[in-house]
Amino acid sequence: MKTLKDEILQRGAVLSDGVLKVDSFLNHAIDPNLMTKIGETFAERFQEEGVTKILTIESSGIAPALTTSLQLQSELVFARKRKSLTMRDDLYSAEVYSFTKQQASEISVSKEFLQPTDRVLIIDDFLANGQAALGLIDIIKQSGASIAGIGIVIEKTFQPGREILEQEGYKIESLARIASLSDGKVTFYTEK
Amino acid sequence: MKTLKDEILQRGAVLSDGVLKVDSFLNHAIDPNLMTKIGETFAERFQEEGVTKILTIESSGIAPALTTSLQLQSELVFARKRKSLTMRDDLYSAEVYSFTKQQASEISVSKEFLQPTDRVLIIDDFLANGQAALGLIDIIKQSGASIAGIGIVIEKTFQPGREILEQEGYKIESLARIASLSDGKVTFYTEK
Ligand SMILES: Nc1nc2c(ncn2[C@@H]2O[C@H](COP(=O)(O)OP(=O)(O)O)[C@@H](OP(=O)(O)OP(=O)(O)O)[C@H]2O)c(=O)[nH]1
Ligand SMILES: Nc1nc2c(ncn2[C@@H]2O[C@H](COP(=O)(O)OP(=O)(O)O)[C@@H](OP(=O)(O)OP(=O)(O)O)[C@H]2O)c(=O)[nH]1
């Protein structure tokens, strides 16, 4: 997605060989009009997939997931990383491992919000090690729903997440694919 | 906002005298079209206020804040409750006290995303004790920006937050105002 790639180059900051900072439009400040374009792009790419529901995870996944759900006119749910005040009922939960923190944490979705009849599109802001996406996939499988695909705003192609998800056979659409962040610059992956 | 009040009556659940569960459309599942109507309503009510930026707080504030920012064509930032991977730079922080947990926690916004020239509209999902709103106000004041007002989706008028914020002199727009949750039912506040 050219607009997104331009934004990354103009408004992103490479913090290290492994980390791209896009707080200015995605992870802290949010660019509303860019979120609309992201939603339109995901909707185009998944419009033939019969998506009934979008599943994302708090917090940075919510904005791109919302604009996508508006375009697809689908339902929307976000997985919680911590139980909220009202999350008492039966839950689907999954473990998500953090390589940085070297520890696992639990994410959850209330059972009432995922039905076996659902066809679920996963949307998230970053794809790195893929652990969050795998956790959401696990939750969808527990519910009996089917997976329409995975939409990622920014993929770091040099990390294992993309490969892991491809091997599982899912349709993955990443709006920006980054081959490298070394030497302080963003190098996009060019599909052959 | 009649549509919202109808949704609360049809899809909300009174968990106790103090807690209304609206996970089905606001706090876990999100109703995208309702979020759009909420955004249009907030935009109508604040369109004369010269809003340059919306400030909300993760996670449930993000969806209503995003749709409002789309209507007002303003910038958008969400305060963090925990430092994210990329939040290294100078921060404005404030303490937020939780009466339920009986402990304070810190919320933060990177300084680069609040300028003295900003005129900030605060948006949040619930107004109860008002501590989160007071924390956001504190942060805005630290930045030198001015406060355009406060937009709340659901206000529990029987809790102290509304009164506290009114005494501070802010323009507050709550789309649903709840006078009581006792006897397992929602009683809306009727303005005289
Ligand atoms: N800005 C930025 N973030 C990255 C990058 N790579 C991974 N992340 C984010 O970091 C968080 C993952 O960290 P960990 O759970 O510790 O996992 P990891 O060490 O195995 O990558 C996730 O944030 P999250 O759960 O999505 O947090 P939130 O923003 O939704 O609160 C993920 O999206 C990157 O290059 N840049
Ligand atoms: N569903 C529901 N939630 C309520 C109600 N009253 C307060 N809350 C939410 O509970 C959380 C506040 O809890 P505490 O910080 O422990 O504060 P408190 O005990 O002083 O109220 C906030 O969630 P938050 O920080 O906004 O969490 P998040 O949803 O954004 O993650 C607030 O919006 C209610 O009647 N119903």
Side-chain angles (χ1 to χ4, degrees):
Chain A
M1 185 184 157
K2 181 167 196 314
T3 316
L4 173 63
K5 286 157 77 172
D6 290 346
E7 293 292 347
I8 289 169
L9 293 174
Q10 290 167 29
R11 293 201 276 166
V14 177
L15 295 193
S16 69
D17 285 2
V19 182
L20 172 71
K21 178 176 174 175
V22 286
D23 278 16
S24 55
F25 63 84
L26 180 63
N27 293 116
H28 189 22
I30 295 171
D31 183 327
N33 295 331
L34 180 64
M35 293 303 120
T36 296
K37 296 187 187 102
I38 284 170
E40 290 166 346
T41 309
F42 279 138
E44 259 168 59
R45 298 197 192 181
F46 289 100
Q47 64 192 356
E48 304 304 320
E49 300 299 332
V51 175
T52 64
K53 183 154 297 180
I54 289 175
L55 176 62
T56 188
I57 180 166
E58 57 179 340
S59 305
S60 299
I62 293 170
L66 176 60
T67 54
T68 307
S69 71
L70 279 166
Q71 294 296 321
L72 288 175
Q73 283 295 293
S74 72
E75 297 179 335
L76 170 62
V77 183
F78 66 93
R80 287 277 189 179
K81 293 173 184 169
R82 276 161 205 89
K83 310 288 182 297
S84 69
L85 179 66
T86 52
M87 227 167 152
R88 299 286 155 75
D89 42 10
D90 294 335
L91 303 173
Y92 295 120
S93 296
E95 292 277 295
V96 175
Y97 187 74
S98 160
F99 287 87
T100 312
K101 296 173 200 122
Q102 297 240 311
Q103 66 190 33
S105 62
E106 193 180 70
I107 67 171
S108 304
V109 177
S110 292
K111 287 185 178 181
E112 62 184 307
F113 301 127
L114 276 175
Q115 301 306 321
T117 46
D118 275 316
R119 191 147 165 76
V120 188
L121 170 59
I122 290 170
I123 296 284
D124 207 2
D125 58 322
F126 270 92
L127 176 55
N129 292 310
Q131 299 306 300
L134 288 170
L136 295 174
I137 286 165
D138 189 331
I139 282 172
I140 295 167
K141 285 179 172 177
Q142 290 177 46
S143 74
S146 62
I147 295 167
I150 303 163
I152 297 296
V153 182
I154 301 174
E155 170 191 300
K156 290 183 289 176
T157 314
F158 60 91
Q159 289 189 269
R162 170 76 186 228
E163 179 75 0
I164 290 170
L165 298 177
E166 261 182 12
Q167 298 215 355
E168 301 282 312
Y170 299 110
K171 174 179 163 91
I172 305 158
E173 293 288 340
S174 298
L175 306 187
R177 304 186 69 189
I178 296 175
S180 162
L181 291 172
S182 43
D183 307 319
K185 68 190 211 317
V186 178
T187 304
F188 291 110
Y189 177 78
T190 39
E191 258 108 338
K192 308 279 171 292
Chain B
M1 182 183 163
K2 183 171 193 313
T3 316
L4 174 63
K5 286 157 76 172
D6 291 345
E7 294 291 347
I8 289 167
L9 293 173
Q10 289 166 31
R11 293 202 275 167
V14 177
L15 294 193
S16 69
D17 285 2
V19 181
L20 171 71
K21 178 177 176 173
V22 286
D23 279 15
S24 55
F25 62 85
L26 181 62
N27 292 116
H28 189 21
I30 295 171
D31 183 326
N33 296 330
L34 179 64
M35 292 304 120
T36 296
K37 294 188 187 103
I38 284 169
E40 289 166 347
T41 309
F42 278 138
E44 259 168 60
R45 298 199 193 178
F46 288 100
Q47 66 192 358
E48 305 303 318
E49 299 299 332
V51 176
T52 64
K53 183 156 293 177
I54 290 175
L55 176 62
T56 187
I57 179 164
E58 58 178 342
S59 303
S60 300
I62 292 170
L66 175 60
T67 54
T68 307
S69 72
L70 280 165
Q71 293 297 321
L72 288 175
Q73 283 296 293
S74 72
E75 298 178 335
L76 169 62
V77 182
F78 65 94
R80 288 278 190 176
K81 293 173 185 171
R82 276 160 206 91
K83 310 287 183 297
S84 70
L85 178 67
T86 52
M87 228 166 153
R88 301 287 155 75
D89 42 12
D90 294 333
L91 304 173
Y92 296 119
S93 297
E95 290 278 294
V96 175
Y97 188 73
S98 161
F99 287 86
T100 312
K101 297 175 200 121
Q102 300 241 309
Q103 65 188 35
S105 64
E106 193 179 70
I107 67 172
S108 304
V109 176
S110 292
K111 288 186 178 178
E112 62 184 306
F113 301 128
L114 276 175
Q115 301 306 320
T117 46
D118 275 316
R119 192 147 165 74
V120 188
L121 169 60
I122 290 170
I123 297 284
D124 207 3
D125 59 322
F126 271 92
L127 176 56
N129 291 311
Q131 300 306 300
L134 288 171
L136 295 173
I137 286 165
D138 188 331
I139 281 172
I140 295 167
K141 285 180 172 175
Q142 290 177 46
S143 75
S146 61
I147 295 166
I150 302 162
I152 297 295
V153 182
I154 301 174
E155 171 192 300
K156 289 183 288 177
T157 314
F158 60 91
Q159 290 191 267
R162 170 78 186 224
E163 177 75 1
I164 290 170
L165 297 177
E166 262 181 11
Q167 297 214 355
E168 301 281 313
Y170 299 111
K171 173 179 163 89
I172 305 156
E173 293 290 338
S174 299
L175 306 187
R177 304 186 69 190
I178 296 175
S180 162
L181 290 171
S182 44
D183 308 320
K185 69 190 211 320
V186 178
T187 305
F188 291 110
Y189 177 78
T190 39
E191 257 106 337
K192 309 275 172 296

